[in-house]
Amino acid sequence: MSKPNLREPSEDLTVASEARRSDLPNADGRPADAEMARMLGTTPFHMALDSSGAGIAHWKHEPLHDVVEPMTHHVIMAYNGMMQRMERRTGKSVAIGTFRPGVVIIIPEGSSSRWDIPKPVDVVQLYLPHKMLERVAREADTAAPTDLLERTAHPDPITSRLLLTAADAMQGNGALDTLFRHQLTDLLATRLLAAHTGSPTTFQPTLGGLSPNVLRRAIERLRSDSDADVSLAALASDAGLSRFHFCRSFKESTGLSPHAWLRQHRLEQAMNMLRDTDESVVSIAAELGYSSQTAFAAAFRKLTNETPGEWRRRTR
């Protein structure tokens, strides 16, 4: 597949970018714009870097199978393309997400993870220095923690819309465009402090979705290794909703139906077992409740484009 027709960054932008980075990472990592250029192997469609250290970039890139090395910025992404599944691996943890409009991805400063994205990507990224996040927290006089959570295709239409809006302000370098980007960056930092810091078990509801407590109970039931009833009727009854309203609200909160969420969770468990144990594919399929090895392999391939055996060989 040929690469998209990308616009070259302006000369002053190139000089500013090169002044901020070197080809080799320092002890804390590369600036985000430099690491993204290295990993994606292309130039951004548009990019605006500010003297504050913050930046916004619009990338259109090919399928990705590579490791994001540590960066000196928090990176927040809003997806602007066709729906597709992706895989993110951090240490021994595997997360499977669905890229679609209305979700965000967060790579916290200094973290590293491997990404496998099978199709081309259209994404807007915010590069946020941690000192800016701390400044916004001080100005807001909040005691909220400033450590951002790692997010993989996490439903947050508010942050997504704000970040996609920023792409419209990168095509000009006038004073008004610059002021708009600065104000929008502060607004995004405020939203991140409100919605993406704290305990990793905190669930943020989307508009029209389940409340945090109801969503948490439903996910705990779906994740349970016991004989808990995970039928739609049981989930809806526990939430105090009809099956129709529960299913609709669950999908608005997570991007997936309860059945699709459970299937994805089981495949994440399968990935951990394939990578970390020597159990046979047949045993893993049976342990996860698949009717046969064939059914398990078909479901696994649909999500990853690989058989369980191929995936195990690649990740070990």
Side-chain angles (χ1 to χ4, degrees), residues 20 48-56 73 126-129 132 185:
R20 298 172 58 248
L49 302 175
D50 296 324
S51 58
S52 64
I56 296 171
H73 296 76
L126 169 68
Y127 307 145
L128 188 66
M132 181 174 290
T185 298

Side-chain angles (χ1 to χ4, degrees), residues 28-288:
D28 298 318
R30 290 185 180 89
D33 61 301
E35 174 57 14
M36 287 296 162
R38 178 204 69 79
M39 183 184 64
L40 301 178
T42 188
T43 56
F45 193 63
H46 295 295
M47 181 162 66
L49 302 175
D50 296 324
S51 58
S52 64
I56 296 171
H58 183 185
W59 296 88
K60 295 184 179 182
H61 63 83
E62 296 296 299
L64 178 65
H65 302 278
D66 204 349
V67 173
V68 177
E69 295 179 357
M71 293 176 283
T72 58
H73 296 76
H74 302 296
V75 177
I76 299 87
M77 307 184 208
Y79 191 61
N80 197 36
M82 298 297 290
M83 184 180 295
Q84 64 166 309
R85 297 295 180 89
M86 47 74 63
E87 177 188 318
R88 175 185 192 171
R89 188 164 71 247
T90 306
K92 292 187 175 182
S93 173
V94 176
I96 301 171
T98 302
F99 269 159
R100 62 185 180 89
V103 304
V104 296
I105 288 170
I106 298 178
I107 305 176
E109 173 191 59
S111 67
S112 178
S113 50
R114 177 181 170 86
W115 294 78
D116 289 285
I117 307 173
K119 299 176 184 178
V121 172
D122 183 342
V123 68
V124 178
Q125 300 178 343
L126 169 68
Y127 307 145
L128 188 66
H130 190 70
K131 62 182 180 182
M132 181 174 290
L133 199 64
E134 291 179 327
R135 173 183 62 76
V136 171
R138 286 196 305 272
E139 291 175 355
D141 194 23
T142 176
T146 57
D147 292 330
L148 291 185
L149 300 175
E150 183 178 275
R151 298 293 202 193
T152 304
H154 183 86
D156 183 351
I158 296 174
T159 302
S160 177
R161 282 196 300 270
L162 287 172
L163 189 46
L164 292 178
T165 299
D168 297 332
M170 289 190 289
Q171 300 182 34
N173 290 311
L176 287 176
D177 290 315
T178 301
L179 179 60
F180 177 76
R181 286 198 308 272
H182 289 172
Q183 292 178 339
L184 188 57
T185 298
D186 278 5
L187 183 58
L188 280 162
T190 303
R191 170 63 184 172
L192 291 167
L193 287 168
H196 299 287
T197 60
S199 168
T201 57
T202 299
F203 292 93
Q204 299 296 334
T206 59
L207 295 178
L210 298 171
S211 70
N213 287 337
V214 171
L215 180 59
R216 184 181 300 113
R217 287 201 308 270
I219 287 178
E220 286 174 351
R221 181 184 283 267
L222 288 168
R223 281 178 171 162
S224 175
D225 292 327
S226 67
D227 294 328
D229 186 354
V230 294
S231 67
L232 185 57
L235 290 164
S237 176
D238 187 49
L241 297 170
S242 69
R243 293 195 299 178
F244 172 80
H245 284 99
F246 173 81
C247 194
R248 184 184 65 180
S249 297
F250 186 94
K251 188 169 185 178
E252 287 179 356
S253 291
T254 67
L256 298 169
S257 68
H259 176 262
W261 193 98
L262 182 58
R263 182 177 63 229
Q264 179 172 298
H265 173 63
R266 285 178 175 171
L267 288 176
E268 289 177 2
Q269 289 180 299
M271 288 176 171
N272 291 331
M273 295 168 73
L274 287 166
R275 186 188 59 244
D276 299 334
T277 76
D278 293 321
E279 286 193 59
S280 68
V281 174
V282 174
S283 298
I284 292 173
E287 188 169 339
L288 294 178

